[in-house]
Amino acid sequence: MAFDRRTFLGTTAATGAAVALTGATSTPAAARSGPRTYAFTVMGTTDLHGNVFNWDYFTDKEFDDKAHNDVGLAKISTLVNRVREEKGRCNTLLIDAGDTIQGTQLSYYYAKVDPITARRGPVHPMAQAMNAIGYDAAALGNHEFNYGIPVLRKFEEQCDFPLLGANALDAKTLRPAFPPYSMHRLRTPHGRDVKVAVLGLTNPGIAIWDKANVQGKMTFPGLEEQAAKYVPKLRSMGADVVIVSAHSGSSGTSSYGDQLPYVENAAGLVAEQVPGIDAILVGHAHTEIPEYRVKNRATGKDVVLSEPLKWGQRLTLFDFELTWEKGRWSVAKVAARVLNSNEVAEDRKITGLLSDEHRKVVAYVNQVIGTSTQAMASAEGPVKDVAIIDLINHVQAETVKAALAGTEWAALPVLSQASCFSRTAAIPAGQVTLRDAAGLYPFENTLEARLLTGAQLKDYLEYSARYFVRTAPGDVVDPAKLTNADGIPDYNYDAVYGFTYDIDIAQPAGSRITGLSFGGVPVDPAARFVLAVNNYRASGGGNFPHVPRAKQVWADSDEIRNTIIQWVKAKGTVDPSAFASVDWRLTRAGVPVFQA
């Protein structure tokens, strides 16, 4: 769908005018003697994921991690204010690289519980905070599409800045569905303004990960292709500086294999292949890159990349130095660095603005929804079959079995896959709150059922088992160093519930699954099974084999997190003895790595 709120040319013209009005007044000619230079700073955030407060809604306390990072836009606001005071607000811009409206219970609440799309609905907390801080532009992230296009469009309407996506196109017209770029004017002491263009690029993986929301509505071509189209256009429009805000990592890799002809983490490729870019604000990968330089093949010039750490933990600063040469401004120097948000206090303006919303969400997540006969924790979930992961799988398998009752698939065995999404998730003994149950599943994934054979599931498990570092018999085992081989994240290691099997970590990846059985009998490669699987995995997320092309026999529109919450409410009591068992284990040459 083509954006109807404004055309992108109108948007960029309006944006440029608005920025120009905030600049310094012109300086008399007498003050312009000597070399003409101008310095300004572009600040950047990315992957905010619904974080306004330095608060963890799943633990119901102030956020903390091993590195004692802080999170949230309230912290970012303090850093931004400090930079603006130092540089002069008229000499700064503030942009974001996407994944803004999903990730916390605060953002979930205003998408699903008290939705911004309702008649006379609220203004999204992220829009309120970012407007108050004074963002100039933001790129679209893939998670912007998780709640559907209507929620995204309402959020866009509520923002005082443009949401940019040069490679988010209307599926029918192939015209931009969002503004591709924005143009900003910064006044200088030397007469002519500096024109700064911000080109927004999002992730082509949206077509896979949010297929249900975007199929037939939007299409997402590659970042390099669209950058090559727009950067020369921006230069011809008089842009002195071109900055790309890209919701795409820098590594040149993809998590969905060959399902799309586009690279997921393409920011480095854009810098290398497309001439005319001065800097790229990188997002999506959730890594910290203070400064990374990529030489452009055509020009030989360095393009400066920077990625601030997720959730508002860091703020990137691109410091530009320009000189006036031959009747135009040219970039003489670019440097990047990051500021740490744990070094400042939250901005009371932002926390005060959203204190009511925060209190509502805290009350919502602390509702008691049931009880548990014993405590369960996920800390050992990556290396052991633990009850709390079995709970996710049991709920998924039960849900699919009930949905298939009376269908031609009803007699087939139902298996389930789940990952250890959080190593800090826990269900206490006694009262269980909504946040306890929700903490098991921090993503907005939905549930599907796919038809696979025993041989295909064996392949699936072999692929999953790449997650473990190869460890020879007799070598010392350190659980902290046993996982995440080749950078594979926890959410891309799946345990399959319903099978019994060993994972021999002394063997090379691809030859690790032994003793695969179902109901005490070795699995027949030709036997058919139904796999309860999340939509991310079913759509190709993680590039697991077979599942994306497997027949879908059922799908749900509700989040798995809500399914777990409703299951706990319906049961009243969670009793691990009814569903938990040790069905998989790590071994070396047949010897268990961890004794029972």
Side-chain angles (χ1 to χ4, degrees), residues 3-305:
F3 55 94
D4 53 8
R5 204 156 56 88
R6 33 169 138 61
T7 67
F8 73 82
L9 287 175
T11 300
T12 52
T15 302
V19 174
L21 291 173
T22 65
T25 57
S26 59
T27 304
R32 300 177 199 152
S33 58
R36 296 184 183 183
T37 62
Y38 177 66
F40 72 98
T41 296
V42 177
M43 298 173 281
T45 55
T46 191
D47 297 278
L48 293 168
H49 283 288
N51 285 280
V52 174
F53 298 85
N54 187 38
W55 192 260
D56 186 336
Y57 291 97
F58 291 136
T59 62
D60 199 27
K61 60 185 180 182
E62 184 176 305
F63 177 88
D64 195 24
D65 61 14
K66 291 181 180 178
H68 301 298
N69 288 301
D70 288 347
V71 300
L73 276 169
K75 291 267 185 171
I76 290 295
S77 183
T78 301
L79 290 174
V80 168
N81 290 338
R82 192 172 76 182
V83 173
R84 285 173 174 162
E85 184 177 354
E86 176 188 344
K87 306 284 186 179
R89 177 158 187 158
C90 58
N91 300 318
T92 65
L93 294 172
L94 175 60
I95 64 176
D96 183 80
D99 274 6
T100 303
I101 59 172
Q102 174 277 337
T104 63
Q105 287 294 289
L106 180 71
S107 54
Y108 178 83
Y109 187 90
Y110 287 98
K112 292 288 190 176
V113 182
D114 184 11
I116 61 174
T117 48
R119 189 177 176 210
R120 297 179 182 174
V123 177
H124 199 288
M126 294 301 287
Q128 291 192 59
M130 294 174 81
N131 288 342
I133 295 169
Y135 274 77
D136 294 290
L140 293 163
N142 54 284
H143 284 288
E144 260 64 84
F145 294 84
N146 286 175
Y147 297 118
I149 292 173
V151 170
L152 174 54
R153 286 299 185 192
K154 189 63 178 181
F155 175 70
E156 179 189 27
E157 180 184 312
Q158 293 176 342
C159 290
D160 294 340
F161 51 90
L163 299 183
L164 308 177
N167 60 329
L169 309 181
D170 179 271
K172 294 182 176 64
T173 67
L174 298 183
R175 296 183 64 184
F178 294 86
Y181 58 83
S182 57
M183 194 75 79
H184 309 264
R185 289 183 179 272
L186 301 176
R187 288 190 175 174
T188 76
H190 304 296
R192 193 188 126 171
D193 298 342
V194 169
K195 293 179 70 174
V196 181
V198 179
L199 177 67
L201 297 170
T202 192
N203 205 291
I206 295 166
I208 290 176
W209 304 320
D210 269 300
K211 182 178 180 180
N213 290 328
V214 302
Q215 188 173 34
K217 299 174 183 177
M218 293 186 191
T219 185
F220 303 88
L223 283 83
E224 307 101 303
E225 170 190 331
Q226 294 303 103
K229 174 181 177 179
Y230 279 103
V231 171
K233 177 183 178 72
L234 295 171
R235 290 294 185 182
S236 71
M237 292 169 62
D240 301 297
V241 179
V242 173
I243 300 167
V244 174
S245 183
H247 193 76
S248 180
S250 62
S251 64
T253 61
S254 291
S255 66
Y256 47 74
D258 60 358
Q259 292 183 70
L260 281 180
Y262 309 120
V263 176
E264 175 186 349
N265 295 304
L269 298 176
V270 170
E272 183 181 78
Q273 297 176 13
V274 181
I277 298 169
D278 296 298
I280 300 179
L281 177 65
V282 178
H284 183 62
H286 289 202
T287 57
E288 181 176 349
I289 306 174
E291 183 184 86
Y292 174 49
R293 292 178 178 267
V294 175
K295 195 171 293 296
N296 183 266
R297 288 178 182 174
T299 65
K301 294 181 179 180
D302 281 353
V303 181
V304 177
L305 286 71

Side-chain angles (χ1 to χ4, degrees), residues 467-492:
Y467 170 76
F468 297 103
V469 175
R470 189 176 184 183
T471 310
D475 284 359
V476 174
V477 172
D478 179 354
K481 298 179 180 178
L482 197 56
T483 62
N484 308 103
D486 298 321
I488 297 170
D490 292 348
Y491 62 77
N492 274 342

Side-chain angles (χ1 to χ4, degrees), residues 235-571:
R235 290 294 185 182
S236 71
M237 292 169 62
D240 301 297
V241 179
V242 173
I243 300 167
V244 174
S245 183
H247 193 76
S248 180
S250 62
S251 64
T253 61
S254 291
S255 66
Y256 47 74
D258 60 358
Q259 292 183 70
L260 281 180
Y262 309 120
V263 176
E264 175 186 349
N265 295 304
L269 298 176
V270 170
E272 183 181 78
Q273 297 176 13
V274 181
I277 298 169
D278 296 298
I280 300 179
L281 177 65
V282 178
H284 183 62
H286 289 202
T287 57
E288 181 176 349
I289 306 174
E291 183 184 86
Y292 174 49
R293 292 178 178 267
V294 175
K295 195 171 293 296
N296 183 266
R297 288 178 182 174
T299 65
K301 294 181 179 180
D302 281 353
V303 181
V304 177
L305 286 71
S306 180
E307 181 176 5
L309 201 57
K310 63 186 185 296
W311 306 345
Q313 295 178 21
R314 304 289 187 273
L315 176 71
T316 278
L317 303 186
F318 290 105
D319 292 314
F320 288 85
E321 294 181 14
L322 276 60
T323 57
W324 180 264
E325 295 177 337
K326 299 178 181 178
R328 63 181 297 273
W329 289 107
S330 62
V331 176
K333 182 180 179 182
V334 188
R337 54 195 168 107
V338 296
L339 302 180
N340 194 328
S341 66
N342 70 8
E343 297 175 356
V344 297
E346 291 182 315
D347 184 347
R348 291 184 180 180
K349 173 185 173 183
I350 304 303
T351 56
L353 177 68
L354 294 166
S355 59
D356 288 345
E357 287 84 347
H358 178 64
R359 280 194 294 268
K360 284 181 183 178
V361 176
V362 168
Y364 165 73
V365 300
N366 279 290
Q367 297 176 63
V368 175
I369 60 172
T371 60
S372 179
T373 61
Q374 66 185 67
M376 295 178 281
S378 64
E380 294 185 313
V383 295
K384 294 182 181 180
D385 188 348
V386 294
I388 201 166
I389 307 300
D390 286 346
L391 173 58
I392 298 172
N393 272 319
H394 181 70
V395 171
Q396 292 181 163
E398 268 202 358
T399 302
V400 169
K401 286 177 186 176
L404 296 181
T407 72
E408 63 180 298
W409 319 109
L412 291 179
V414 176
L415 311 173
S416 178
Q417 62 77 224
S419 305
C420 182
F421 296 114
S422 168
R423 297 193 185 201
T424 59
I427 297 289
Q431 290 187 334
V432 178
T433 64
L434 186 147
R435 67 178 171 83
D436 295 326
L440 303 185
Y441 219 107
F443 299 106
E444 272 70 49
N445 294 340
T446 57
L447 188 61
E448 297 188 17
R450 298 281 179 129
L451 192 64
L452 292 109
T453 67
Q456 289 174 326
L457 285 161
K458 172 81 157 31
D459 289 345
Y460 186 99
L461 287 171
E462 289 286 9
Y463 183 85
S464 184
R466 301 173 311 130
Y467 170 76
F468 297 103
V469 175
R470 189 176 184 183
T471 310
D475 284 359
V476 174
V477 172
D478 179 354
K481 298 179 180 178
L482 197 56
T483 62
N484 308 103
D486 298 321
I488 297 170
D490 292 348
Y491 62 77
N492 274 342
Y493 168 63
D494 289 356
V496 172
Y497 179 80
F499 278 164
T500 301
Y501 57 97
D502 290 345
I503 303 172
D504 190 337
I505 60 173
Q507 298 301 316
S511 303
R512 291 179 169 178
I513 304 301
T514 63
L516 183 65
S517 63
F518 176 77
V521 178
V523 171
D524 180 350
R528 296 193 304 170
F529 299 87
V530 172
L531 180 67
V533 58
N534 68 57
N535 69 303
Y536 173 78
R537 191 71 78 235
S539 296
N543 199 28
F544 277 62
H546 306 304
V547 175
R549 295 178 177 85
K551 181 178 179 61
Q552 182 193 83
V553 297
W554 177 79
D556 195 9
S557 61
D558 202 8
E559 290 91 352
I560 293 169
R561 177 167 57 206
N562 279 346
T563 303
I564 295 170
I565 290 167
Q566 295 306 317
W567 186 91
V568 174
K569 284 182 175 179
K571 293 291 183 182

